[in-house]
Amino acid sequence: EVQLLESGGDLAQPGGSLRLSCAVSGFTFSSYAMSWVRQAPGKGLEWVSSITGSGDRGGVTYYADSVKGRFTISRDNSKNTLYLQMNSLRADDTGVYYCARDRLMWELLLDLDCWGQGTLVAVSS
Amino acid sequence: QSVLTQPPSVSGTPGQRVTISCSGSSSNIGSNAVKWYQQLPGTAPKLLIYGSSQRPSGVPDRFSGSKSGTSASLAISGLQSEDEAHYYCATWDDSLNGWVFGGGTRLTVL
């Protein structure tokens, strides 16, 4: 059974940092592109960042303009874990952060067929 | 303001057919495949449609997707109460060099 379990969400101060983790099981993690998608309270979905599977130059990364330069996505294939390092946090970064897997091996299409339950990040002073 | 425009809400009665539109531009829908996600209250999103019109296994054929020019649509036939949810379109945007979501549409089954 495919499982994705996010952790690391917390209350942070503006300008602070958090690191989110997404531990996966039930599939060959290294072969799949992974993404982070967030949802502000009462709002819609927003793509945050994606990383390709390790077969493609070791993981090419992509970022939304709203987080570029502040967030870093990475993966540790030996630990079957996806990360999102979040620096210089702002109030508008508040929301539920989901990690998700792309449908096909070796493809980054944002056809996200498996999702975690989400972890809540709150940025406030 | 989302790059992809969806109606905030649509409604229908059980058994009816409803459609949800997603309007974009030549840099996104006009040149890339569209996917649709369903988000039931309090849950993570679920992939409904990929490749503009393909259904993942397990998604009922009551759900169908189409694309024409710079717009896409999700149609739901034989509407059921469990279809009450938010629906989001998404695609790659060549100008932004990233993925974009529509603002979402809330479907109410009357």
Side-chain angles (χ1 to χ4, degrees):
Chain A
E1 180 190 5
V2 173
Q3 290 190 325
L4 294 81
L5 184 62
E6 301 97 335
S7 61
D10 203 347
L11 174 64
Q13 293 204 336
S17 298
L18 283 175
R19 188 176 84 155
L20 306 184
S21 299
C22 174
V24 314
S25 60
F27 65 97
T28 307
F29 176 65
S30 62
S31 300
Y32 286 84
M34 300 292 296
S35 297
W36 290 97
V37 175
R38 69 184 180 185
Q39 187 167 35
K43 302 297 183 182
L45 303 175
E46 180 187 13
W47 170 72
V48 173
S49 182
S50 299
I51 185 168
T52 60
S54 63
D56 186 357
R57 293 177 284 170
V60 179
T61 59
Y62 300 82
Y63 298 94
D65 285 345
S66 59
V67 306
K68 202 171 293 181
R70 300 188 299 122
F71 290 10
T72 301
I73 190 172
S74 62
R75 63 193 302 157
D76 186 335
N77 293 331
S78 68
K79 295 183 178 179
N80 285 349
T81 302
L82 176 73
Y83 301 101
L84 185 68
Q85 178 66 43
M86 309 165 64
N87 298 331
S88 303
L89 284 164
R90 310 186 306 217
D92 61 1
D93 294 319
T94 294
V96 175
Y97 284 69
Y98 296 100
C99 70
R101 185 197 81 170
D102 237 283
R103 186 177 58 89
L104 295 177
M105 289 173 60
W106 312 120
E107 298 286 342
L108 176 52
L109 299 171
L110 215 76
D111 292 344
L112 304 174
D113 68 340
C114 297
W115 295 67
Q117 86 292 344
T119 187
L120 179 61
V121 171
V123 182
S124 174
S125 55
Chain B
Q1 191 78 1
S2 302
V3 172
L4 305 180
T5 301
Q6 298 181 235
S9 64
V10 298
S11 63
T13 56
Q16 196 175 15
R17 180 179 186 271
V18 297
T19 60
I20 298 172
S21 61
C22 177
S23 177
S25 67
S26 58
S27 67
N28 43 65
I29 293 178
S31 50
N32 297 288
V34 177
K35 53 235 55 212
W36 289 89
Y37 292 92
Q38 176 194 58
Q39 187 176 32
L40 298 171
T43 69
K46 171 188 174 182
L47 180 65
L48 271 187
I49 297 288
Y50 66 91
S52 301
S53 61
Q54 305 302 305
R55 282 187 310 275
S57 61
V59 173
D61 59 6
R62 301 186 297 105
F63 295 90
S64 63
S66 64
K67 188 182 91 164
S68 178
T70 59
S71 293
S73 291
L74 173 71
I76 309 171
S77 60
L79 201 60
Q80 300 179 3
S81 58
E82 54 260 41
D83 297 333
E84 271 208 350
H86 282 85
Y87 293 84
Y88 297 90
C89 58
T91 190
W92 176 264
D93 191 292
D94 296 331
S95 297
L96 297 175
N97 204 35
W99 277 272
V100 290
F101 280 91
T105 298
R106 179 177 183 172
L107 169 62
T108 301
V109 181
L110 302 170

